[in-house]
Amino acid sequence: MGSLKLEPAQSRPDLLAAPVAKALEVWPAEAPVDADQVMVAPIDPELADTAAFCELYGIGLDESANCVIVAGRRGEITRYAACIILATTRADVNGVVRRHLDVRKCSFAPMDDAVAKTGMEYGGITPIGLPADWPILVDSRVVATPHVIIGSGVRHSKIAIAGPALGALPGAEVIDGLAREVA
């Protein structure tokens, strides 16, 4: 995975947001990988954004997955969800995601809300350790990728994990067409 210096995530809680470390402690036994196969590497926090990160560490955009937090509203009720997509794609928030959440209006969650509700840093939010009642919508291209790089909940590290494991997270649903290729 490029020039990343990977080590088991459970041995480096200093490289994980608290909700991520806690989720690894209760990792599902039926997951396609064991918790000790979830790897983490320190990175320069100033270069945590996808394009800069991939360039510096030699990671292909097709191996990097983004976790996008969305908020959908129907009446007075707001529903949050996470969308996991490859960096070569964009989530179809106003189409597939909106219909899936059964909301009238759907958009990217405001940064302050996303940070407060996840307990993670903006630019490092990951699907591991999200609130249990949030759906995790995973684009089918992510689970078809043998290994992907995702956030760790903090900006100073990244997680490497098998793509299929993201589709097996609690609350995860794999969706064909969740994202579209970026032109």
Side-chain angles (χ1 to χ4, degrees), residues 113-128:
D113 286 356
V115 169
K117 292 185 179 303
T118 64
M120 300 180 201
E121 295 177 6
Y122 187 75
I125 295 175
T126 187
I128 300 170

Side-chain angles (χ1 to χ4, degrees), residues 6-115:
L6 296 167
E7 40 191 319
Q10 287 185 307
S11 70
R12 293 296 308 269
D14 59 309
L15 294 178
L16 306 170
V20 178
K22 184 176 178 181
L24 287 173
E25 290 173 7
V26 294
W27 193 252
E30 66 278 3
V33 298
D34 293 331
D36 61 359
Q37 293 174 299
V38 178
M39 308 298 280
V40 69
I43 65 163
D44 180 339
E46 297 300 316
L47 300 170
D49 293 332
T50 304
F53 163 77
C54 287
E55 184 176 332
L56 179 66
Y57 293 96
I59 304 293
L61 291 173
D62 59 343
E63 298 174 295
S64 181
N66 292 323
C67 180
V68 179
I69 304 301
V70 297
R73 290 189 59 91
R74 179 176 284 282
E76 297 302 313
I77 298 172
T78 300
R79 295 185 183 123
Y80 290 90
C83 298
I84 314 308
I85 59 172
L86 291 177
T88 56
T89 64
R90 283 205 175 100
D92 183 4
V93 175
N94 288 311
V96 175
V97 176
R98 181 183 58 76
R99 285 189 300 274
H100 188 81
L101 295 178
D102 190 30
V103 294
R104 288 194 188 281
K105 209 173 162 184
C106 193
S107 61
F108 297 108
M111 178 180 61
D112 292 344
D113 286 356
V115 169

